[in-house]
Amino acid sequence: MSDAVRRISSGGPYEEAIGYSRAVALPNGLVLVSGCTGIQAGRLVAGGPYEQARAAFATALDALARFGLTAADVVRTRMYVVHGGDTAEVGRAHADVFGAVRPAATLVLVAGLIDPEMSVEIEVEAYRAGGVPEALPDTPEVTA
């Protein structure tokens, strides 16, 4: 366990351009995952808001896994949805991923996202008492 703030990158195209990390682990055991969308392998996933939300949650959970955390460690989610008619599908994706965990959750409507084809962006916060394990060895990491 480290007393330093640790940051990891997923190599996404916006991370370098905008200047952010995919996830930041704090010494107190809190891990913050930046907004994730339905982009996988450089492309927006096929399907609608449910599929985009599932892909976004998968990206967030992958970032947590790099610190040794799982969906069970998630304490808060935020979902930003472009179309009001998509809230039920995004909510269904959230329930499929976190139903038994039941983190604090917020779902808000927004005017748009960085790509007009994106229908949802999510943020995740996770917590592990006693701190977060070091990032896995193959993880690009910056310590500050």
Side-chain angles (χ1 to χ4, degrees), residues 4-105:
V5 172
R6 292 170 289 139
R7 296 168 173 85
I8 60 170
S9 171
S10 65
Y14 297 115
E15 290 175 23
E16 184 68 29
I18 296 173
Y20 71 93
S21 296
R22 169 57 54 214
V24 176
L26 304 176
N28 67 356
L30 185 64
V31 177
L32 309 171
V33 179
S34 295
C36 301
T37 63
I39 299 286
Q40 289 189 336
R43 300 180 57 117
L44 190 62
V45 297
Y50 176 85
E51 291 80 12
Q52 286 190 31
R54 287 299 300 251
F57 287 125
T59 298
L61 292 175
D62 179 63
L64 291 178
R66 292 165 65 185
F67 283 116
L69 286 91
T70 70
D73 298 304
V74 173
V75 295
R76 181 181 188 95
T77 61
R78 291 181 189 90
M79 296 159 279
Y80 304 95
V81 180
V82 177
H83 305 290
D86 293 343
T87 58
E89 287 297 290
V90 172
R92 182 168 68 92
H94 187 275
D96 287 350
V97 174
F98 298 109
V101 177
R102 300 182 65 101

Side-chain angles (χ1 to χ4, degrees), residues 103-131:
T106 301
L107 191 152
V108 296
L109 293 177
V110 296
L113 298 172
I114 198 164
D115 179 329
E117 297 299 315
M118 294 174 178
S119 60
V120 61
E121 183 165 341
I122 63 99
E123 296 176 352
V124 170
E125 297 177 16
Y127 177 76
R128 168 98 33 101

